[in-house]
Amino acid sequence: MSRKVLVAYASKMGATADIAEAIGDELRSHGHDVDVLDVAQVRTIEPYDAVVLGSAIYIRRWRRDAVRFLRSNVDELRKRQVWLFHSGPVGPDKDQVQAMPPAVRRLAREIGATPAVTFAGRLESATAKGFLARRLAKGTLSGDSRDWPKIRAWAADLSTAIATTPNRPDGQFLG
């Protein structure tokens, strides 16, 4: 069954935005109607059956816009299927699972979302913002560590879950 899906993201240097676009493309290839938007551009989630939210994670923190989105939409998100991801690890730690920040973990529990999946990130001098990021982008952590097959496989699994999980008459999903 085709569903209306929002893939929202909060990105600092563009890597998380690229991941969100890849997730959206994969969901579309499975027949879903998908909007991919910067979380700051989302005005309502009312038309969506499912929401995928991604944030860059830096120093164990999500982008403020992503956390604000979760807080502002708790009641509506409870009525939908919700999946979370974050991206950021690079270099030797690129495959290390990153724990959700405490506020995100609490909000995820409150809305019934599963824990965020971690995707490796990208750190390049051309897109690095801030003194520390620019400095690190000149060293051994520089490069694109994103695993596109892993990202597409996760999105394909989401597509199946979105298509096969029915919504209850009260709008809450059964899952």
Side-chain angles (χ1 to χ4, degrees):
M1 172 189 289
S2 176
R3 299 287 179 110
K4 179 82 171 155
V5 181
L6 170 64
V7 179
Y9 62 87
S11 189
K12 183 174 182 178
M13 295 183 250
T16 305
D18 293 345
I19 291 170
E21 288 291 347
I23 291 167
D25 289 345
E26 186 68 26
L27 293 172
R28 281 186 204 99
S29 77
H30 289 268
H32 297 289
D33 181 9
V34 180
D35 292 329
V36 178
L37 298 170
D38 184 305
V39 74
Q41 296 176 331
V42 178
R43 299 295 169 241
T44 180
I45 63 170
E46 190 275 325
Y48 300 102
D49 299 306
V51 175
V52 179
L53 175 63
S55 177
I57 187 166
Y58 296 100
I59 314 169
R60 298 185 181 115
R61 293 186 181 181
W62 270 35
R63 304 286 301 156
R64 285 185 190 148
D65 285 349
V67 178
R68 189 176 305 119
F69 175 83
L70 286 173
R71 280 192 183 118
S72 300
N73 292 288
V74 166
D75 292 336
E76 286 300 311
L77 289 168
R78 280 188 191 124
K79 300 174 188 175
R80 288 162 177 76
Q81 300 175 65
V82 179
W83 287 273
L84 306 173
F85 73 91
H86 46 225
S87 70
V90 293
D93 296 333
K94 69 181 175 63
D95 296 321
Q96 197 170 53
V97 173
Q98 301 288 306
M100 288 191 299
V104 175
R105 186 173 48 247
R106 181 186 54 76
L107 288 162
R109 255 193 326 265
E110 197 172 332
I111 63 176
T114 58
V117 66
T118 302
F119 295 123
R122 178 188 74 203
L123 181 62
E124 296 174 331
S125 57
T127 57
K129 295 178 184 174
F131 174 78
L132 182 59
R134 283 193 304 272
R135 186 168 174 111
L136 292 173
K138 293 178 183 174
T140 59
L141 297 179
S142 181
D144 191 343
S145 299
R146 293 172 294 179
D147 183 341
W148 296 109
K150 177 181 176 182
I151 293 163
R152 284 191 290 276
W154 184 74
D157 289 345
L158 285 188
S159 175
T160 301
I162 290 167
T164 59
T165 304
N167 284 357
R168 297 188 318 213
D170 65 0
Q172 300 248 350
F173 75 94
L174 298 173

